[in-house]
Amino acid sequence: MTAVLVVDDDADIRDLVAFKLAQAGYEVDRAADGAGALAAVARRRPDLAILDVTMPGMSGIDLCRSLRADPETASVLVLLLTARAQERDVEAGFAAGADDYVVKPFSPRELVSRVEALLARARR
Amino acid sequence: MKPVVVDILNWSDWAVLFYFLAINTSYAALILLAAAEFYRRAETASYAGREDDLVNPFTPGVTVIMPAYNEEAVIVPAVQAMLSLRYPRLEVVVVLDGSKDNTFGVLEEAFGLVEVPRLIPSDIPTREAPKAVFVPRGGGPLVVVLKDNSGRADSLNVGVNLATMDLVCFVDADSILDSEALLNVVKPFVDDPERVVATGGVIRAVNGCAVVDGRVVRVGMPRGWIARIQVVEYLRAFLLGRTGWSKIGSLLIISGAFGMFRREVMLEVGGLDPSCIGEDAELVSRLHRYLRDNKRSYRIVFVSEPVSWTEVPATLKVLARQRRRWARGLLEVLWRHRVMLFNPRYGRIGLLAFPWFLLFELAAPFIEVLGLPLVVLGLAFGVVNVYFAVLFAVAAFGYGLALSLASLAIEELSFHRYPDWRDLRAAGVAALIENFWYRQLSALWGLQGIFAALRRQQAVWGEMTRSGFGPEPTRAEPAR
Amino acid sequence: MKVPLAVIWAAIGVDGFLLISFTTLVVASRALRLKRERTAARRLAPLRPLLLEVASEDDPQAGSLRRLQSLGPDDWEALVPAAAGLLGKLRGSSKQQIASLLDAHGSTARAYGDLFARRATRRARAAEMIGSLGHEELAPRLLRLLEDKRHDVRLVAARALGQLRSADASAGLIAAAGERSPIPRGVLGHALLRIGHRAVPELTRALSSPDWRRRSLAADLLGRLGALSAAEQLAGLASDDPALSVRVGAVEALGRFGLPEWLGPLAGAAGRKNPSRLREAAVEALSGVATPEAVSVLGSLTGDGDIRVGAKAAVSLASLGPLGRAALERVLSADLDDEEKARAAAQASGALALVAAGGR
């Protein structure tokens, strides 16, 4: 079973994305902030994490960086979800080690396709 | 002696009554103005577009300037919290003001600082030049500056010289900011970029709140009554009072713990004045004066949304020191910019705000402190009967108490940040007992501060009067 | 004592009345609020999963959608904040689903009617709603709100037009940047950026507007949108426009294009007699061009008397790869007697250290 972690401080988005992924057959964990996400990762290492960039406290980019820094979680696929679409922001995301980037407003359907594509590529 | 006292008392009871009525009614007016403003903000909040600011590439960049002196214990979480604020274009400049402890060492280790040689423009002349500039290895919007000790104001000026963004934001290392703080305080700049030159954020007491990772996660009332009374006082005087002043374009004080300024305008007025005790208040008065002298259309706005949380004094000793300093600072500002007092050229600042601070902030301690012995004498000579004196006091303090409760009510209606019923009760009781000892002590401290200022400044004033009293400082005195 | 006791008693009476009213107000408002919140949460709890199902389009036979469409007014009211919130964060058919829900409850019709309501807050809320619903056909009505007498309404209208991404709104938004209208440039700029390439023809036309505010906004945006077709006109403005902010905008735009043929105007803008703002922009733009000629211009600026200009030039060079770094090293080894050369050397070593540390 493939596990996905959804981290967003916006409960509606978090639950929506989690619901959509669960429907698509993934095991889904949820967290509302950076600290919660790290705890969730310690409980069960996800194959892929969807991180909101602009969260209070630890941002998605910081979180991505700390996942990458830990050998245990360095290979977790990271998809950033953010309302910031400027070149500079996208660059910062990839520099932190993100694998993909989805801009809000987003289409849940497209998000799931991207998750599937990322996982499929990683399996190859 | 007796007849004199009788005369004074006979003459003064109406005067004192009117004074109390006037001071409290002016507060009531400010509270009403604030209530109107809060209502407007609540109505418009749903379409204010704050999330839009977060993604808008035109949102102005902000340089947060954090001076630090012996902050070893708090500096690392403070900088981390600052770097993780929700804001799209952010740069943090930490100015280490010749600390005697290991402030630099802990920063160096936490962020892997490396020295970079850097030429620094002296847009604002400063007393101490930076000795070295550091950035974190691996990048990140952080700059750390080392310099010899020269006080908070001078450190902030050094920070302004280093800043690369259009807006500069002054913060204290020991303040805790809400993650939305910058978005809130930038909002007036975004909505009215041509006129807004400065914004101030509201300061609330962090005592009694639960703090995790440099963020307030649960708001609560502090334990001791000294701090509790200050919570109520901050609500009344800062949250509502300053919102009221801001509404009529006459905000005179922006707290040093959280203020934002347009960098360009800071340069025009020459930055903060390190020779002032209340350098933040002095800066705002100077801005008003300069911009009005130059016939500019400008706004200085107070932002009431929760922004910055700071430790308020929990002991009388520390509180006394703070209040003496505030009184000295206020006197200094009013004196330095006395040309604006009652001067119609300066509009509401000269005709309303300055006179108000003179009559009700600066003079109130005299009335309160000198009134008390007068009443005692009156009682002793039998001129005042006890019954009358008590009733009089009840009437006067009752008005003040009503205003405190009005402030609580407005807080409850607009922000309701204190979730516990017990907190509300504590606030109510604090508002009551404030009248029995806190006000009197505050007045005393205020008086002490004023006298201290008069003693200390006589020489300085002489000198300044001769030199024509320009807006620039003529003599230095360490601010810390 | 001259003050009659009656006056004091009256004052105490008024105080007492105020005390009681404010205390009651605090307690009552809190109690009411808590009750309201509890009721809303109770109503929302069973509905929220249905809403998420609708938004995620995993809604077999549209059963959840139909249920939500037929909600009573109280339940619907509890759901509105969540539904409206999702609307702004979603795209595509998910958004359509939520929009159809709001349509079914008459929100669109109400917003349509409220666009010209007497109360400003209703006008603003209506504009906001139409923006997030994405009803492009209502753009002309929103355009009229750009001239609303209330500032906050004008701002919402501009933002909503950006959300609609209607090319027809471009001209109106650009016009709103003019002197008479106080809609901030940042708000208009963001809206026009959202409209994107379809705004380019109008923006290009605005480059020759008599109003410098419009020219400046247009120059800036054409750069951000990568509208190379406007490059020649922008190069003209960069050198000749009487308004500083237009020149700055044009210079920034040329820098974003990074085309070597416009090096001339950029080098000109970086010239010593120009205002610092323009020069700093020009230095930044030259680093976008990144040809050997640009490198040599930047190299000559590292020792500039304006420290900010020099620092920008040095940092640009340091991040330009081997060519730029070689230029900096040349500056480093120059003789230090000359004030300008010493300054250049200091800037160069600073920039190299900064880039080595991984900053910028």
Side-chain angles (χ1 to χ4, degrees):
Chain A
M1 198 83 180
T2 313
V4 179
L5 173 66
V6 181
V7 191
D8 198 319
D9 57 323
D10 179 333
D12 287 333
I13 294 295
R14 185 171 68 233
D15 293 346
L16 171 62
V17 172
F19 176 78
K20 185 81 188 161
L21 288 166
Q23 290 288 315
Y26 296 100
E27 287 278 319
V28 186
D29 288 317
R30 281 175 277 192
D33 56 23
L38 292 174
V41 168
R43 277 197 303 276
R44 169 162 69 176
R45 183 189 167 283
D47 298 283
L48 182 142
I50 297 177
L51 313 178
D52 177 33
V53 170
T54 49
M55 292 184 288
M58 197 180 207
S59 78
I61 290 187
D62 296 337
L63 188 53
C64 178
R65 226 177 262 130
S66 66
L67 286 177
R68 288 284 176 264
D70 182 350
E72 276 286 299
T73 56
S75 64
V76 173
L77 295 168
V78 171
L79 189 154
L80 292 175
L81 185 58
T82 177
R84 263 141 74 171
Q86 297 310 303
E87 257 171 46
R88 220 178 354 178
D89 303 315
V90 179
E91 273 171 29
F94 284 117
D99 297 286
D100 202 355
Y101 206 92
V102 170
V103 175
K104 285 181 192 169
F106 72 104
S107 145
R109 239 198 246 174
E110 187 190 314
L111 181 69
V112 172
S113 315
R114 287 198 187 235
V115 167
E116 276 164 359
L118 274 176
L119 286 166
R121 217 178 305 147
R123 263 184 228 117
R124 255 189 269 138
Chain B
M1 171 131 187
K2 187 173 168 181
V4 180
V5 173
V6 173
D7 276 353
I8 292 179
L9 284 171
N10 276 337
W11 169 80
S12 66
D13 64 342
W14 275 109
V16 170
L17 185 70
F18 273 121
Y19 186 77
F20 266 95
L21 204 63
I23 196 168
N24 283 318
T25 303
S26 70
Y27 252 115
L30 288 172
I31 289 174
L32 278 177
L33 283 168
E37 175 65 13
F38 287 171
Y39 177 74
R40 191 190 67 81
R41 288 199 193 189
E43 284 277 281
T44 60
S46 72
Y47 54 82
R50 193 158 283 125
E51 289 302 309
D52 235 52
D53 297 343
L54 194 61
V55 301
N56 188 344
F58 289 91
T59 298
V62 172
T63 300
V64 172
I65 303 175
M66 182 193 279
Y69 175 75
N70 293 349
E71 305 280 10
E72 182 185 303
V74 299
I75 190 76
V76 171
V79 173
Q80 263 157 358
M82 219 51 79
L83 288 169
S84 66
L85 290 179
R86 253 161 62 93
Y87 198 75
R89 284 175 69 203
L90 177 68
E91 168 190 60
V92 177
V93 174
V94 179
V95 185
L96 299 180
D97 187 22
S99 293
K100 291 186 183 64
D101 68 355
N102 195 26
T103 310
F104 176 71
V106 294
L107 272 178
E108 186 181 30
E109 200 192 85
F111 295 96
L113 297 180
V114 285
E115 181 170 358
V116 290
R118 183 145 156 188
L119 294 181
I120 295 157
S122 45
D123 297 330
I124 298 175
T126 58
R127 290 178 184 170
E128 285 297 337
K131 287 196 299 195
V133 176
F134 299 82
V135 297
R137 190 176 292 116
L142 172 67
V143 179
V144 176
V145 193
L146 265 184
K147 63 182 249 310
D148 286 331
N149 181 271
S150 59
R152 185 173 170 276
D154 199 49
S155 304
L156 288 170
N157 285 340
V158 167
V160 174
N161 283 341
L162 270 151
T164 62
M165 304 288 190
D166 288 344
L167 302 178
V168 291
C169 178
F170 298 158
V171 299
D172 278 351
D174 54 2
S175 296
I176 291 172
L177 300 193
D178 265 35
S179 60
E180 306 291 309
L182 289 178
L183 284 175
N184 284 336
V185 177
V186 164
K187 194 72 198 160
F189 288 97
V190 169
D191 286 349
D192 191 1
E194 303 209 349
R195 288 193 301 160
V196 174
V197 296
T199 57
V202 70
I203 309 294
R204 289 187 175 220
V206 77
N207 315 41
C209 299
V211 177
V212 176
D213 292 339
R215 278 193 298 141
V216 171
V217 291
R218 192 172 197 283
V219 180
M221 279 299 263
R223 291 191 164 251
W225 287 105
I226 298 175
R228 281 183 180 174
I229 290 173
Q230 286 174 83
V231 168
V232 177
E233 191 188 17
Y234 275 44
L235 282 183
R236 188 184 59 225
F238 296 168
L239 180 63
L240 295 164
R242 287 183 189 170
T243 304
W245 283 118
S246 164
K247 181 104 179 143
I248 51 174
S250 307
L251 183 66
L252 274 196
I253 298 174
I254 285 179
S255 162
F258 199 91
M260 191 175 281
F261 301 84
R262 201 173 279 291
R263 186 171 172 279
E264 219 173 277
V265 179
M266 278 292 283
L267 301 192
E268 282 182 60
V269 299
L272 286 155
D273 185 343
S275 69
C276 276
I277 300 167
E279 68 267 6
D280 308 293
E282 198 277 333
L283 173 66
V284 179
S285 288
R286 190 142 41 91
L287 282 173
H288 278 299
R289 184 171 167 184
Y290 171 82
L291 293 165
R292 283 180 185 265
D293 278 341
N294 287 284
K295 306 252 181 301
R296 295 251 283 267
S297 168
Y298 73 98
R299 283 173 64 204
I300 295 178
V301 182
F302 181 72
V303 176
S304 50
E305 279 85 0
V307 154
S308 173
W309 302 80
T310 202
E311 192 84 29
V312 301
T315 63
L316 285 180
K317 199 177 142 208
V318 181
L319 184 64
R321 198 160 55 219
Q322 182 194 46
R323 295 306 155 104
R324 282 186 209 117
R325 196 160 40 91
W326 284 5
R328 266 178 72 185
L330 179 63
L331 177 62
E332 188 181 55
V333 170
L334 293 180
W335 177 254
R336 205 171 265 228
H337 296 288
R338 63 188 180 281
V339 66
M340 293 204 283
L341 190 65
F342 299 119
N343 187 338
R345 261 186 65 206
Y346 296 95
R348 288 174 184 173
I349 302 297
L351 298 180
L352 202 62
F354 257 56
W356 188 89
F357 274 94
L358 180 70
L359 287 176
F360 294 146
E361 286 275 313
L362 212 55
F366 286 93
I367 311 279
E368 291 191 27
V369 173
L370 299 182
L372 216 58
L374 214 59
V375 171
V376 173
L377 275 180
L379 287 170
F381 290 125
V383 188
V384 178
N385 72 53
V386 180
Y387 181 62
F388 182 86
V390 168
L391 278 189
F392 190 93
V394 168
F397 291 139
Y399 198 178
L401 178 59
L403 293 177
S404 293
L405 289 178
S407 310
L408 278 179
I410 292 171
E411 196 312 312
E412 177 58 32
L413 283 167
S414 46
F415 297 109
H416 38 82
R417 290 296 289 241
Y418 291 90
D420 210 323
W421 280 103
R422 264 180 315 187
D423 289 341
L424 271 192
R425 203 178 52 205
V429 176
L432 181 67
I433 63 176
E434 178 187 11
N435 292 304
F436 296 110
W437 54 277
Y438 186 89
R439 271 174 198 267
Q440 292 76 9
L441 277 179
S442 294
L444 189 65
W445 296 326
L447 215 54
Q448 287 172 344
I450 292 166
F451 281 123
L454 292 175
R455 271 199 309 279
R456 208 176 234 267
Q457 298 257 328
Q458 258 158 5
V460 185
W461 286 347
E463 197 177 303
M464 282 179 170
T465 317
R466 277 198 308 281
S467 66
F469 197 70
E472 295 305 317
T474 50
R475 185 177 157 272
E477 148 190 322
R480 203 177 276 281
Chain C
M1 293 297 106
K2 297 235 185 70
V3 178
L5 271 179
V7 172
I8 306 285
W9 274 115
I12 292 178
V14 172
D15 289 349
F17 171 74
L18 291 175
L19 285 175
I20 292 167
S21 352
F22 288 133
T23 312
T24 319
L25 183 60
V26 172
V27 174
S29 77
R30 164 158 296 198
L32 279 176
R33 178 174 56 83
L34 292 177
K35 179 153 175 277
R36 218 174 31 236
E37 282 172 4
R38 269 198 301 273
T39 319
R42 206 180 50 234
R43 284 177 199 268
L44 180 62
L47 301 175
R48 193 163 166 274
L50 301 181
L51 180 68
L52 295 183
E53 224 165 83
V54 169
S56 72
E57 299 173 89
D58 279 310
D59 182 15
Q61 287 99 47
S64 301
L65 180 61
R66 269 203 303 276
R67 246 206 80 196
L68 293 182
Q69 280 174 338
S70 57
L71 284 181
D74 288 346
D75 282 334
W76 172 243
E77 201 170 313
L79 192 64
V80 167
L86 277 177
L87 205 54
K89 295 165 199 154
L90 296 178
R91 201 159 55 74
S93 46
S94 288
K95 179 176 174 163
Q96 290 309 319
Q97 294 283 311
I98 305 275
S100 72
L101 193 56
L102 285 154
D103 280 347
H105 284 279
S107 300
T108 316
R110 223 169 7 251
Y112 188 86
D114 277 355
L115 270 181
F116 298 101
R118 282 183 53 136
R119 274 181 62 116
T121 47
R122 281 175 70 181
R123 293 199 296 279
R125 285 196 187 127
E128 171 96 356
M129 178 60 87
I130 283 165
S132 48
L133 283 167
H135 284 295
E136 209 184 316
E137 70 279 8
L138 294 182
R141 303 199 126 221
L142 284 180
L143 275 169
R144 282 171 55 195
L145 288 187
L146 287 180
E147 287 167 16
D148 199 274
K149 59 182 184 297
R150 277 269 298 251
H151 188 58
D152 51 354
V153 178
R154 294 193 294 265
L155 292 181
V156 184
R159 284 198 198 99
L161 281 166
Q163 281 180 301
L164 294 183
R165 294 181 160 79
S166 150
D168 300 339
S170 326
L173 286 166
I174 299 167
E179 199 176 358
R180 249 193 50 247
S181 156
I183 301 182
R185 163 198 175 109
V187 175
L188 294 171
H190 193 205
L192 285 159
L193 271 186
R194 281 179 159 161
I195 293 170
H197 294 280
R198 290 180 302 156
V200 166
E202 282 300 334
L203 287 169
T204 311
R205 233 190 312 279
L207 286 180
S208 34
S209 157
D211 189 323
W212 67 267
R213 287 162 203 261
R214 291 184 191 146
R215 293 200 303 278
S216 157
L217 177 67
D220 184 346
L221 286 168
L222 286 165
R224 290 175 196 256
L225 291 169
L228 295 176
S229 56
E232 191 161 352
Q233 237 182 310
L234 285 167
L237 294 178
S239 329
D240 301 328
D241 201 277
L244 176 63
S245 93
V246 179
R247 295 182 73 187
V248 171
V251 159
E252 284 170 350
L254 291 174
R256 287 198 164 93
F257 299 160
L259 296 171
E261 52 263 54
W262 308 116
L263 187 74
L266 293 183
R272 298 223 162 156
K273 52 180 203 318
N274 284 327
S276 329
R277 228 181 98 205
L278 181 62
R279 301 187 66 209
E280 282 180 48
V283 167
E284 192 108 24
L286 282 165
S287 75
V289 176
T291 58
E293 291 77 19
V295 166
S296 98
V297 178
L298 286 172
S300 70
L301 289 168
T302 45
D304 202 273
D306 185 331
I307 290 175
R308 284 174 189 271
V309 169
K312 264 217 164 100
V315 174
S316 297
L317 284 172
S319 48
L320 269 185
L323 202 61
R325 238 162 292 156
L328 283 178
E329 265 140 34
R330 268 198 305 282
V331 171
L332 266 183
S333 52
D335 87 283
L336 298 180
D337 297 341
D338 179 276
E339 194 188 330
E340 183 178 336
K341 283 188 178 139
R343 210 159 39 218
Q347 298 278 27
S349 68
L352 287 168
L354 188 67
V355 171
R360 272 156 269 210

